[in-house]
Amino acid sequence: DQQVKQNSPSLSVQEGRISILNCDYTNSMFDYFLWYKKYPAEGPTFLISISSIKDKNEDGRFTVFLNKSAKHLSLHIVPSQPGDSAVYFCAASFSGTYKYIFGTGTRLKVLA
Amino acid sequence: GAGVSQSPRYKVAKRGQDVALRCDPISGHVSLFWYQQALGQGPEFLTYFQNEAQLDKSGLPSDRFFAERPEGSVSTLKIQRTQQEDSAVYLCASSSAATATYEQYFGPGTRLTVT
């Protein structure tokens, strides 16, 4: 039973355009969400997070939106750059605990 | 500063062999996690240490999997009598605290292939 789902295995975007990566979750008790980025042969690296008390968090070109009623979050990258090409994982957690539950990832390719 | 390191980076084992995977966390990080990432999947939690204490091993798939962190720094994940379904990337992560709001820093992983 996949509690965190990323239904798009891959996404291609032109350089300079917006990339939108989506993530759905099933457990309404999750209250902390994260996005990690992974390059080949490297470990995942933290990108941005959001607490359930917010509906938006922004860090430079990266913005995460949280829609609690729809149990949906999205990551927007504007403008997209070729160096953003990687696999993006969303993860959910309960803020008082340590366990991350990851989605299956979306491979983003930014075309120059 | 140094990040999380793991060794070996690649390991090929014949079915039935025992393997040991090493993780060197970021110095001073009290929390250490092991994850298993199968092909095309996201990382899945295996076990958690706070210092030398293994506080959660709920994700270990069978009693063939064993992890230790005897001095509260380096950790070893051991898999006995490896099976083909154990083929995966094993990721180690460390954190300065034990709640989700403290970032987990991941190592590059060990890719285990069981033939």
Side-chain angles (χ1 to χ4, degrees), chain A residues 58-72:
Chain A
E58 196 169 351
D59 183 2
R61 296 186 296 114
F62 302 91
T63 303
V64 56
F65 295 91
L66 176 62
N67 182 333
K68 288 186 290 291
S69 61
K71 295 202 279 287
H72 177 84

PDB file of all heavy atoms in Angstrom, chain A residues 58-72:
ATOM      1  N   GLU A  58       8.775  28.774  -0.241  1.00  0.00           N
ATOM      2  CA  GLU A  58       9.554  29.170  -1.404  1.00  0.00           C
ATOM      3  C   GLU A  58      11.024  29.277  -1.037  1.00  0.00           C
ATOM      4  O   GLU A  58      11.376  29.763   0.043  1.00  0.00           O
ATOM      5  CB  GLU A  58       9.034  30.540  -1.865  1.00  0.00           C
ATOM      6  CG  GLU A  58       9.429  30.967  -3.235  1.00  0.00           C
ATOM      7  CD  GLU A  58       8.647  32.213  -3.676  1.00  0.00           C
ATOM      8  OE1 GLU A  58       7.701  32.617  -2.967  1.00  0.00           O
ATOM      9  OE2 GLU A  58       8.992  32.762  -4.726  1.00  0.00           O
ATOM     10  N   ASP A  59      11.898  28.827  -1.949  1.00  0.00           N
ATOM     11  CA  ASP A  59      13.332  28.953  -1.742  1.00  0.00           C
ATOM     12  C   ASP A  59      13.969  29.145  -3.107  1.00  0.00           C
ATOM     13  O   ASP A  59      14.202  28.181  -3.841  1.00  0.00           O
ATOM     14  CB  ASP A  59      13.887  27.708  -1.051  1.00  0.00           C
ATOM     15  CG  ASP A  59      15.370  27.832  -0.743  1.00  0.00           C
ATOM     16  OD1 ASP A  59      15.978  28.890  -1.028  1.00  0.00           O
ATOM     17  OD2 ASP A  59      15.946  26.862  -0.206  1.00  0.00           O
ATOM     18  N   GLY A  60      14.200  30.402  -3.448  1.00  0.00           N
ATOM     19  CA  GLY A  60      14.797  30.692  -4.747  1.00  0.00           C
ATOM     20  C   GLY A  60      13.890  30.267  -5.877  1.00  0.00           C
ATOM     21  O   GLY A  60      12.729  30.667  -5.943  1.00  0.00           O
ATOM     22  N   ARG A  61      14.406  29.421  -6.745  1.00  0.00           N
ATOM     23  CA  ARG A  61      13.617  28.973  -7.901  1.00  0.00           C
ATOM     24  C   ARG A  61      12.628  27.866  -7.542  1.00  0.00           C
ATOM     25  O   ARG A  61      11.837  27.457  -8.397  1.00  0.00           O
ATOM     26  CB  ARG A  61      14.575  28.455  -8.989  1.00  0.00           C
ATOM     27  CG  ARG A  61      15.508  29.504  -9.564  1.00  0.00           C
ATOM     28  CD  ARG A  61      16.321  28.960 -10.727  1.00  0.00           C
ATOM     29  NE  ARG A  61      17.218  27.876 -10.325  1.00  0.00           N
ATOM     30  CZ  ARG A  61      17.086  26.616 -10.739  1.00  0.00           C
ATOM     31  NH1 ARG A  61      16.104  26.274 -11.557  1.00  0.00           N
ATOM     32  NH2 ARG A  61      17.960  25.701 -10.330  1.00  0.00           N
ATOM     33  N   PHE A  62      12.679  27.385  -6.333  1.00  0.00           N
ATOM     34  CA  PHE A  62      11.875  26.236  -5.924  1.00  0.00           C
ATOM     35  C   PHE A  62      10.749  26.664  -4.992  1.00  0.00           C
ATOM     36  O   PHE A  62      10.980  27.375  -4.018  1.00  0.00           O
ATOM     37  CB  PHE A  62      12.749  25.194  -5.225  1.00  0.00           C
ATOM     38  CG  PHE A  62      13.891  24.709  -6.076  1.00  0.00           C
ATOM     39  CD1 PHE A  62      15.129  25.336  -6.034  1.00  0.00           C
ATOM     40  CD2 PHE A  62      13.716  23.646  -6.932  1.00  0.00           C
ATOM     41  CE1 PHE A  62      16.175  24.890  -6.827  1.00  0.00           C
ATOM     42  CE2 PHE A  62      14.764  23.191  -7.730  1.00  0.00           C
ATOM     43  CZ  PHE A  62      15.993  23.827  -7.678  1.00  0.00           C
ATOM     44  N   THR A  63       9.534  26.225  -5.307  1.00  0.00           N
ATOM     45  CA  THR A  63       8.370  26.496  -4.466  1.00  0.00           C
ATOM     46  C   THR A  63       7.599  25.201  -4.291  1.00  0.00           C
ATOM     47  O   THR A  63       7.365  24.484  -5.271  1.00  0.00           O
ATOM     48  CB  THR A  63       7.444  27.553  -5.103  1.00  0.00           C
ATOM     49  OG1 THR A  63       8.188  28.745  -5.339  1.00  0.00           O
ATOM     50  CG2 THR A  63       6.276  27.868  -4.177  1.00  0.00           C
ATOM     51  N   VAL A  64       7.236  24.902  -3.053  1.00  0.00           N
ATOM     52  CA  VAL A  64       6.392  23.737  -2.787  1.00  0.00           C
ATOM     53  C   VAL A  64       5.024  24.239  -2.341  1.00  0.00           C
ATOM     54  O   VAL A  64       4.919  25.154  -1.525  1.00  0.00           O
ATOM     55  CB  VAL A  64       7.023  22.779  -1.758  1.00  0.00           C
ATOM     56  CG1 VAL A  64       7.358  23.475  -0.461  1.00  0.00           C
ATOM     57  CG2 VAL A  64       6.135  21.580  -1.516  1.00  0.00           C
ATOM     58  N   PHE A  65       3.991  23.640  -2.914  1.00  0.00           N
ATOM     59  CA  PHE A  65       2.608  23.956  -2.579  1.00  0.00           C
ATOM     60  C   PHE A  65       1.979  22.736  -1.933  1.00  0.00           C
ATOM     61  O   PHE A  65       2.173  21.608  -2.395  1.00  0.00           O
ATOM     62  CB  PHE A  65       1.812  24.323  -3.837  1.00  0.00           C
ATOM     63  CG  PHE A  65       2.270  25.578  -4.514  1.00  0.00           C
ATOM     64  CD1 PHE A  65       3.228  25.536  -5.521  1.00  0.00           C
ATOM     65  CD2 PHE A  65       1.751  26.813  -4.144  1.00  0.00           C
ATOM     66  CE1 PHE A  65       3.659  26.705  -6.151  1.00  0.00           C
ATOM     67  CE2 PHE A  65       2.171  27.981  -4.766  1.00  0.00           C
ATOM     68  CZ  PHE A  65       3.129  27.931  -5.768  1.00  0.00           C
ATOM     69  N   LEU A  66       1.188  22.982  -0.877  1.00  0.00           N
ATOM     70  CA  LEU A  66       0.515  21.890  -0.194  1.00  0.00           C
ATOM     71  C   LEU A  66      -0.984  22.145  -0.182  1.00  0.00           C
ATOM     72  O   LEU A  66      -1.429  23.208   0.265  1.00  0.00           O
ATOM     73  CB  LEU A  66       1.030  21.766   1.244  1.00  0.00           C
ATOM     74  CG  LEU A  66       0.359  20.726   2.127  1.00  0.00           C
ATOM     75  CD1 LEU A  66       0.555  19.325   1.570  1.00  0.00           C
ATOM     76  CD2 LEU A  66       0.897  20.808   3.560  1.00  0.00           C
ATOM     77  N   ASN A  67      -1.737  21.174  -0.656  1.00  0.00           N
ATOM     78  CA  ASN A  67      -3.199  21.226  -0.632  1.00  0.00           C
ATOM     79  C   ASN A  67      -3.669  20.093   0.267  1.00  0.00           C
ATOM     80  O   ASN A  67      -3.762  18.935  -0.153  1.00  0.00           O
ATOM     81  CB  ASN A  67      -3.763  21.077  -2.047  1.00  0.00           C
ATOM     82  CG  ASN A  67      -5.275  21.165  -2.094  1.00  0.00           C
ATOM     83  OD1 ASN A  67      -5.975  20.854  -1.122  1.00  0.00           O
ATOM     84  ND2 ASN A  67      -5.805  21.589  -3.221  1.00  0.00           N
ATOM     85  N   LYS A  68      -3.947  20.432   1.538  1.00  0.00           N
ATOM     86  CA  LYS A  68      -4.246  19.385   2.509  1.00  0.00           C
ATOM     87  C   LYS A  68      -5.581  18.703   2.215  1.00  0.00           C
ATOM     88  O   LYS A  68      -5.717  17.495   2.423  1.00  0.00           O
ATOM     89  CB  LYS A  68      -4.259  19.977   3.921  1.00  0.00           C
ATOM     90  CG  LYS A  68      -2.872  20.345   4.418  1.00  0.00           C
ATOM     91  CD  LYS A  68      -2.890  20.801   5.858  1.00  0.00           C
ATOM     92  CE  LYS A  68      -3.554  22.135   6.045  1.00  0.00           C
ATOM     93  NZ  LYS A  68      -2.741  23.233   5.440  1.00  0.00           N
ATOM     94  N   SER A  69      -6.540  19.450   1.739  1.00  0.00           N
ATOM     95  CA  SER A  69      -7.845  18.833   1.492  1.00  0.00           C
ATOM     96  C   SER A  69      -7.756  17.806   0.367  1.00  0.00           C
ATOM     97  O   SER A  69      -8.446  16.781   0.388  1.00  0.00           O
ATOM     98  CB  SER A  69      -8.896  19.901   1.165  1.00  0.00           C
ATOM     99  OG  SER A  69      -8.519  20.614   0.004  1.00  0.00           O
ATOM    100  N   ALA A  70      -6.890  18.072  -0.600  1.00  0.00           N
ATOM    101  CA  ALA A  70      -6.715  17.128  -1.705  1.00  0.00           C
ATOM    102  C   ALA A  70      -5.618  16.119  -1.415  1.00  0.00           C
ATOM    103  O   ALA A  70      -5.400  15.197  -2.218  1.00  0.00           O
ATOM    104  CB  ALA A  70      -6.395  17.882  -2.993  1.00  0.00           C
ATOM    105  N   LYS A  71      -4.912  16.274  -0.325  1.00  0.00           N
ATOM    106  CA  LYS A  71      -3.755  15.440   0.033  1.00  0.00           C
ATOM    107  C   LYS A  71      -2.782  15.397  -1.139  1.00  0.00           C
ATOM    108  O   LYS A  71      -2.404  14.338  -1.665  1.00  0.00           O
ATOM    109  CB  LYS A  71      -4.197  14.043   0.462  1.00  0.00           C
ATOM    110  CG  LYS A  71      -5.029  14.067   1.748  1.00  0.00           C
ATOM    111  CD  LYS A  71      -5.042  12.740   2.473  1.00  0.00           C
ATOM    112  CE  LYS A  71      -6.021  11.760   1.905  1.00  0.00           C
ATOM    113  NZ  LYS A  71      -7.415  12.107   2.213  1.00  0.00           N
ATOM    114  N   HIS A  72      -2.383  16.586  -1.541  1.00  0.00           N
ATOM    115  CA  HIS A  72      -1.561  16.749  -2.739  1.00  0.00           C
ATOM    116  C   HIS A  72      -0.512  17.816  -2.500  1.00  0.00           C
ATOM    117  O   HIS A  72      -0.809  18.861  -1.897  1.00  0.00           O
ATOM    118  CB  HIS A  72      -2.454  17.162  -3.921  1.00  0.00           C
ATOM    119  CG  HIS A  72      -1.699  17.422  -5.187  1.00  0.00           C
ATOM    120  ND1 HIS A  72      -1.339  16.425  -6.062  1.00  0.00           N
ATOM    121  CD2 HIS A  72      -1.246  18.583  -5.726  1.00  0.00           C
ATOM    122  CE1 HIS A  72      -0.691  16.947  -7.079  1.00  0.00           C
ATOM    123  NE2 HIS A  72      -0.620  18.260  -6.907  1.00  0.00           N
TER     124      HIS A  72
END
